[in-house]
Amino acid sequence: MKIDENTYLKHKRMKVYSLETNSVVKRKWFLDLLTCMFGIGSWILVNSLYTQFPLLVQNAPEGWNLPSYLSIAVQTGNLGPLLYSAWRKKFGNQYDRPLIISILILGIISMFLLAMFYDVTGIIFGKSHSIVLCIFTFTIALVGCTSSVLFIPSLSHYSDIYLVTYMVGEGISGFVPSLIAIIQGIGTTTCYTVERNGQNITEKAQTNANFSSGIFFTIIGIIMCISTVSYLFLEYLPNCKKEKIQTKPESVEAHGTKSIHNSNILLLVIQGVIVFFSNGLMPSIQSYSCLPYGYIAYHLATNLSNMANPIACFVAFYTNRTSKSVIYVLCSICIVSTIYMLMTAFTSPSPPLNNSIIGVILIVFIWVLFVGCVSYVKLSIAAVLRDEGSRGLFHYGCITQIGSTFGALIGFYLINVVQILKSYEPC
């Protein structure tokens, strides 16, 4: 019997609808919850550390230079993926489960120890430094960086729909600590003049945040415990084990043996430049860009921009994220934002509009805009290169780590060696 085109299309739509319906029906809410919580544990430790910069710089012996030291420690965490790659070549993935558990436990221990000893300092080359903070910054960065190559493959035994849930959790890992940090507050510094021995002396009075960084890190440690328990449930809970599927061997095409298309080489260059600034240089100099406008400006810029990351990724999932035109437009916005942020940092301690409300609003807006656009661009470039196969994503990962590392090194050099950026005391 001959079927006309309209009937065929209607049948096809009904078939697709049926498949989508079946997919929704088969979805298990407890797996969504567990994979989401597991995803939160991937980067929440590193993200939580960044949210505390505005508080930590107030009392750390490094002062405004602290972010440059911690950025180097974070980049050193890339040793994790390198060590895992060597491990995988020798042993394969048969030990991934105990490795993941070990990494998660390392994160828990590091966060609770950080909560107790984050303000402990030591003498290095005759100067006081936040030794404990730097050490545990490295260990928690080790957790985050290694999660990129270790956590996601562990979900291959479940349906692909739960990978999306994991990515949602990974996005929430930036949102949750920022929300807690905003509730935590920043405290205020007030300058006043007192007369002593016939001389007027300027002193400062500082009100504390609603709770300390120690309590903040403890809360994050508890969330990390929940994330670890979620992974253990995924692996050992009978109801979860029933939902596991048999993984199929990958074909040669899946590994992507083709070289990168010439039109996408420009995207790799853009990615390298973007992460040079966003992952390396800008976090190192953010204190110099924001603090002349006050601790509240620094606090808001840090936490609202951290929230902009998952929001931008969420928007990207529902838009044409592979459009190169959109990528180029957003890159232009990133360039303008970067120029303004660099200008405020290099003109510290007296950047434009630093004594006005407009200046505060503008610097916070620029930082949030920058991080939001960068997050969208990075995800878009990854989506385009995904079509090149695993080789495209491999190059994407390599250029990301190289650009980030060089950015952090340049930031450290400018701040601590050349000492080209200047800080100031409010009183």
Side-chain angles (χ1 to χ4, degrees), residues 308-362:
N309 188 328
I311 292 174
C313 293
F314 180 80
V315 171
F317 275 114
Y318 294 96
T319 56
N320 184 14
R321 57 184 177 275
T322 58
S323 170
K324 292 184 180 180
S325 298
V326 174
I327 292 175
Y328 298 147
V329 170
L330 292 180
C331 283
S332 300
I333 297 175
C334 290
I335 291 173
V336 175
S337 302
T338 300
I339 291 173
Y340 185 81
M341 292 184 296
L342 289 174
M343 179 184 67
T344 56
F346 281 93
T347 56
S348 174
S350 301
L353 304 172
N354 67 317
N355 292 319
S356 67
I357 268 296
I358 296 177
V360 173
I361 294 174
L362 186 58

Side-chain angles (χ1 to χ4, degrees), residues 38 83-104 146 149-151 153-154 157 231-232 235-236:
F38 179 43
L83 293 174
Y84 174 70
S85 298
W87 172 279
R88 191 180 178 92
K89 285 183 179 179
K90 185 173 183 179
F91 299 105
N93 62 353
Q94 58 180 322
Y95 298 111
D96 279 7
R97 184 185 296 174
L99 278 176
I100 292 175
I101 295 173
S102 300
I103 286 292
L104 290 169
T146 308
V149 295
L150 189 57
F151 287 13
S154 71
H157 294 292
Y231 174 72
L232 294 175
E235 290 298 319
Y236 298 107

Side-chain angles (χ1 to χ4, degrees), residues 237-307:
L237 201 67
N239 287 343
C240 294
K241 293 172 73 173
K242 289 179 184 178
E243 301 298 324
K244 288 189 176 184
I245 59 176
Q246 294 296 323
T247 56
K248 298 179 180 179
E250 295 179 337
S251 62
V252 176
E253 183 181 357
H255 285 288
T257 57
K258 297 179 180 180
S259 59
I260 297 296
H261 194 277
N262 290 335
S263 64
N264 290 334
I265 293 178
L266 176 59
L267 293 182
L268 283 174
V269 174
I270 292 174
Q271 175 69 9
V273 174
I274 282 284
V275 298
F276 173 88
F277 287 101
S278 64
N279 294 3
L281 180 61
M282 302 314 290
S284 300
I285 69 171
Q286 187 178 21
S287 54
Y288 291 90
S289 173
C290 297
L291 272 176
Y293 298 93
Y295 284 110
I296 293 178
Y298 187 21
H299 177 66
L300 292 176
T302 300
N303 291 291
L304 293 182
S305 61
N306 212 23
M307 288 182 171

Side-chain angles (χ1 to χ4, degrees), residues 6 16 20 22 24 26 56 61 80 83 95 114 127 129 209 237 250 261 321 325 337 358 367 408-409 418 423:
N6 290 334
V16 172
E20 291 176 350
N22 288 339
V24 172
K26 290 180 180 179
L56 295 174
L83 293 174
Y95 298 111
L114 186 62
K127 291 184 178 181
H129 287 284
L237 201 67
E250 295 179 337
H261 194 277
R321 57 184 177 275
S325 298
S337 302
I358 296 177
W367 271 97
L409 290 173
V418 181
S423 61

